């Protein structure tokens, strides 16, 4: 490992994380708070984020997708609860016991298997049932419930389900929320059916960030925000809905900045092509800065000839195609740029800033994907 400063790095702003968690705690108003650290903590770096979260006693759970992520959370020092929302393999039953995970159950086979493992070890397992209300992804239908109730009856160490959960299909992408209301009605009626079958859950939970922020009736006993903890709104529509309802806009600040350093500067004449495919040609004598990041780092190739980066608090346009490990940016009109100087890919530089929303818009995707695809190998550092 090199001990010199890396050519590219991600900074995690601790005070912004603090602010976001304070906003979420206020929105949760007394309910349990489960924050999502799946997808390498939305690209921020799971170990670094968990290392910060241990200091926030208001966070009750971290939510993960896989057993592997759960184990990483434990190794990073997380001793509170872990909810696992992704599919559980039968072979992972022992890990559920060992790492004290609370899996969200989506199939009868998994529940059966966990029941046997719990009885064998004589250790109680807390489970949550994912209920199908209209997303048609992982949920259990009302018709299947009695089979689940039977399994709970057969295994003394499988407590009756601790939680009942569902997830909204259409809450971020619209300012019209009839489908979310329909799902909420379905959820309430299936939970009633659970009670009739003797498997009434202790806690109910449905709220991702957008639901938590917009609809109090989705909050139930526990809320499961993800993107908002990292300082981003789920979508423009979520932000608009919030503003239309009279909300004040200062809830969240982006935690992550992504930076690199200029490794080369060059002057090229008028009519020169730049990069693969000759997709850009200069119209004047041009000064280019070469930056040592590319699509393998998570700088999407669709940003070619579209995006800009920040250098000296000014916008430097990306010229030509994004390469695997390099981009070229135009600094002709930016004074005083020197080798080794910092370029900001995501984040603020003086009056200018580039958000993951902006990058996502340029790359025709969503902020979630822009963040989640940041290469885990990029070094992360916490800044105050
Ligand atoms: C990822 C996830 C969340 C968090 O969603 P955000 O939109 O990031 O707040 C909540 N619940 C489930 C089941 C998830 O998979």
């Amino acid at each position: 490992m090199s001990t010199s400063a890396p050519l590219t790095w991600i900074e995690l702003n601790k005070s912004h994380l603090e602010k976001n968690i304070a906003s979420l705690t206020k929105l949760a108003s007394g309910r349990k708070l489960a924050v999502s650290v799946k997808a390498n903590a939305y690209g921020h770096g799971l170990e670094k984020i968990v290392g910060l979260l241990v200091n926030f006693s208001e966070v009750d759970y971290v939510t993960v997708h896989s057993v592997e992520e759960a184990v990483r959370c434990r190794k990073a020092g997380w001793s509170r609860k872990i909810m696992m929302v992704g599919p559980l393999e039968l072979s992972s039953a022992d890990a559920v016991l060992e790492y004290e995970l609370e899996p969200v159950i989506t199939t009868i086979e998994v529940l059966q298997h966990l029941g046997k493992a719990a009885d064998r070890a004589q250790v109680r397992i807390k489970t949550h049932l994912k209920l199908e209300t209209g997303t048609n992804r992982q949920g259990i239908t009302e018709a299947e419930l009695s089979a689940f109730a039977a399994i709970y009856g057969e295994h003394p160490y499988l407590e009756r389900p601790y939680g009942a959960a569902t997830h909204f299909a259409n809450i971020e992408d619209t300012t019209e929320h009839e489908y979310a209301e329909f799902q909420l009605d379905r959820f309430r009626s299936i939970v009633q059916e659970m009670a009739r079958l003797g498997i009434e859950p202790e806690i109910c939970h449905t709220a991702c960030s957008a639901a938590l922020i917009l609809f109090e009736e989705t909050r139930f006993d526990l809320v499961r925000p993800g993107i908002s903890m990292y300082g981003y709104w789920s979508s423009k529509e979520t932000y608009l809905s919030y503003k239309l309802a009279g909300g004040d806009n200062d809830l969240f600040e982006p935690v992550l900045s992504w930076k690199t350093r200029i490794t080369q500067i060059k002057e090229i004449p008028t009519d020169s092509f730049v990069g693969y495919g000759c997709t850009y040609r200069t119209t004047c004598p041009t000064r280019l800065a070469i930056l040592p990041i590319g699509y393998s780092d998570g700088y999407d190739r669709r940003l070619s000839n579209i995006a800009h980066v920040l250098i000296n608090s000014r916008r430097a346009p990306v010229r030509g195609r994004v390469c695997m490990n390099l981009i070229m940016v135009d600094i002709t009109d930016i004074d005083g740029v020197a080798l080794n100087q910092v370029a900001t890919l995501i984040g603020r530089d003086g009056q200018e800033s580039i958000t993951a929303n902006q990058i996502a818009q340029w790359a025709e995707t969503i902020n979630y994907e822009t963040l989640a695809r940041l290469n885990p190998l990029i070094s992360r550092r916490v800044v105050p």
Side-chain angles (χ1 to χ4, degrees):
M1 278 300 282
S2 147
T3 51
S4 60
L7 289 176
T8 185
W9 67 95
I10 282 168
E11 291 177 0
L12 305 172
N13 186 305
K14 192 177 168 185
S15 45
H16 289 179
L17 183 72
E18 224 165 83
K19 173 186 173 138
N20 302 339
I21 291 176
S23 292
L24 292 174
T25 305
K26 202 164 165 200
L27 285 164
S29 55
R31 296 156 181 95
K32 289 184 169 58
L33 180 58
V35 298
S36 181
V37 296
K38 66 195 181 197
N40 197 31
Y42 289 48
H44 290 60
L46 183 141
E47 282 74 11
K48 286 281 192 305
I49 290 293
V50 168
L52 291 169
L53 289 178
V54 294
N55 301 311
F56 294 91
S57 58
E58 54 272 57
V59 176
D60 300 287
Y61 281 80
V62 291
T63 308
V64 299
H65 173 74
S66 63
V67 171
E68 289 73 19
E69 287 174 344
V71 173
R72 284 171 64 193
C73 291
R74 288 288 182 237
K75 292 196 168 140
W78 184 255
S79 56
R80 275 168 262 157
K81 297 173 176 228
I82 299 183
M83 190 188 302
M84 197 191 130
V85 297
L88 186 70
E89 287 192 280
L90 296 185
S91 57
S92 299
D94 291 337
V96 169
L97 291 165
E98 181 179 350
Y99 296 101
E100 295 179 58
L101 312 184
E102 292 185 18
V104 177
I105 304 295
T106 61
T107 72
I108 196 96
E109 293 75 18
V110 166
L111 188 66
Q112 215 155 19
H113 206 77
L114 279 177
K116 286 180 195 157
D119 287 354
R120 210 181 311 118
Q122 303 196 336
V123 173
R124 295 190 188 285
I125 297 181
K126 274 198 164 80
T127 55
H128 302 248
L129 289 190
K130 182 65 157 278
L131 305 179
E132 184 52 67
T133 60
T135 303
N136 289 306
R137 190 170 67 173
Q138 287 188 301
I140 298 162
T141 63
E142 191 163 353
E144 293 173 290
L145 273 182
S146 55
F148 282 85
I151 305 285
Y152 281 108
E154 285 164 18
H155 298 284
Y157 282 88
L158 208 52
E159 294 180 57
R160 93 181 164 170
Y162 178 62
T166 199
H167 194 53
F168 295 106
N170 196 26
I171 204 153
E172 291 95 359
D173 295 284
T174 177
T175 53
E176 310 288 329
H177 293 106
E178 293 91 358
Y179 199 70
E181 277 156 31
F182 162 78
Q183 286 192 271
L184 206 51
D185 286 345
R186 290 283 310 132
F187 180 72
R188 288 203 186 93
S189 104
I190 303 175
V191 169
Q192 271 173 16
E193 178 61 16
M194 286 176 74
R196 261 197 302 278
L197 291 166
I199 51 169
E200 188 181 14
E202 274 178 54
I203 64 168
C204 290
H205 48 100
T206 69
C208 59
S209 295
L212 165 62
I213 295 163
L214 298 178
F215 302 108
E216 189 166 357
E217 67 266 37
T218 66
R219 294 177 193 160
F220 293 96
D221 308 300
L222 174 152
V223 294
R224 305 190 308 257
I227 194 97
S228 51
M229 182 178 76
Y230 303 99
Y232 281 98
W233 290 80
S234 313
S235 65
K236 216 176 255 178
E237 289 79 0
T238 304
Y239 182 65
L240 270 175
S241 301
Y242 174 73
K243 292 297 282 179
L244 284 169
D248 104 50
N249 65 358
D250 200 26
L251 292 177
F252 310 116
E253 288 285 348
V255 169
L256 178 146
S257 305
W258 182 16
K259 298 180 179 176
T260 186
R261 282 188 287 125
I262 299 171
T263 49
Q264 205 177 342
I265 293 175
K266 59 175 60 187
E267 313 276 347
I268 58 172
T270 306
D271 287 336
S272 307
F273 290 111
V274 179
Y276 290 127
C278 299
T279 62
Y280 184 81
R281 193 171 202 181
T282 57
T283 55
C284 58
T286 297
R287 195 176 330 120
L288 288 181
I290 316 302
L291 304 178
I293 60 98
Y295 56 79
S296 71
D297 297 290
Y299 202 78
D300 200 294
R301 193 162 171 277
R302 283 167 292 189
L303 298 171
S304 300
N305 286 310
I306 293 179
H308 55 249
V309 309
L310 304 179
I311 296 173
N312 276 356
S313 309
R314 306 272 313 277
R315 300 180 185 192
V318 172
R319 298 301 194 206
R321 287 207 186 128
V322 172
C323 313
M324 187 181 283
N325 296 110
L326 296 168
I327 58 172
M328 292 71 85
V329 301
D330 194 332
I331 52 167
T332 310
D333 298 319
I334 306 178
D335 292 333
V337 180
L339 214 56
N340 265 321
Q341 213 180 305
V342 171
T344 301
L345 306 160
I346 298 177
R348 175 166 286 285
D349 181 0
Q351 291 304 304
E352 290 283 1
S353 88
I354 300 172
T355 62
N357 300 333
Q358 176 65 79
I359 298 270
Q361 200 178 340
W362 281 326
E364 294 175 38
T365 181
I366 54 174
N367 50 14
Y368 292 79
E369 184 180 1
T370 296
L371 293 168
R373 283 179 172 251
L374 292 172
N375 190 324
L377 298 176
I378 300 171
S379 83
R380 268 85 172 159
R381 57 175 80 146
V382 175
V383 298

